[in-house]
Amino acid sequence: MSSFLFTGEPWLRAAWEGEMGDSGSPGRDGDPGQTAQFLFRNMCIALPGDGEQGGNGHDGYNGDAGMKGRPAPPGTLDLGIIEGQITIEVGGGQGQTGGKGGLGGAGGSGGRAGYNPIYEGPGIYPPPQPCPSGQAGPMGWGGKGGNGGNAGDGGDGGTVTVYYKSIKSGNIDSKTFFGNPGIPGAAGFGGYSTTGNRGNGRPGFQGSLGSASNVIIRQVP
């Protein structure tokens, strides 16, 4: 038994992944507090400010779309006198896998709480730190993950012509198939943040089958 396969070479790797989104900017620090002495007591005259929330991370970049599968090469076979089973398969190659979506950018760090001063003027009076402390700002939201790249379409078919003189035993069996699309690229994950993120991207879309192939078998003198 002999077999002949005419198909496009496979892609050895997926399309390029999307890049990670940029991180958010740091939040603004809170304003410092202020104290003063009044009637033998330390007084808070300006509260320390809270830090502002960090900037949101940027979305991840989308993965590249997969390339179309390589076509089946055209071919000619001269088999002469057939002895035994002959199988001929023709079809396009599989499309390239789409690139994975990029990771969302991390949220920016929250701003620091404003400085809470200790009174350092003349005399020692309670309380030494009269202002309540401010709060540090929360992280910004993590960016959304990038979308996966679309799957590459299946490769187009080809035509193979087979010549033979006679069949002593066996048979010539021809099979054709459509080039399958690649695999859609995976969705990118949302960026890191203790606050949360804007979610993952979406996977890429499915590709299409390649065109049909043809096998022509002819007996020659």
Side-chain angles (χ1 to χ4, degrees), residues 43-133:
M43 308 293 291
C44 181
I45 61 173
L47 294 172
D50 294 338
E52 294 184 358
Q53 184 171 15
N56 295 335
H58 295 261
D59 294 350
Y61 292 86
N62 296 337
D64 285 354
M67 300 290 289
K68 184 178 177 68
R70 296 183 172 97
T76 301
L77 292 174
D78 189 352
L79 301 179
I81 299 173
I82 303 299
E83 295 186 70
Q85 184 70 25
I86 303 293
T87 301
I88 300 162
E89 296 183 76
V90 185
Q94 185 174 17
Q96 187 183 28
T97 297
K100 182 179 179 180
L103 183 68
S109 58
R112 295 172 296 184
Y115 173 66
N116 191 357
I118 298 175
Y119 182 75
E120 298 177 347
I124 300 176
Y125 300 101
Q129 197 169 23
C131 295
S133 298

Side-chain angles (χ1 to χ4, degrees), residues 136-165:
M139 283 187 73
W141 288 83
K144 185 177 180 180
N147 297 330
N150 296 339
D153 295 336
D156 291 328
T159 298
V160 174
T161 304
V162 180
Y163 298 102
Y164 73 98
K165 289 185 177 181

Side-chain angles (χ1 to χ4, degrees), residues 165-177:
K165 289 185 177 181
S166 63
I167 299 178
K168 189 172 182 180
S169 64
N171 194 21
I172 302 174
D173 184 23
S174 65
K175 300 178 181 179
T176 60
F177 57 89

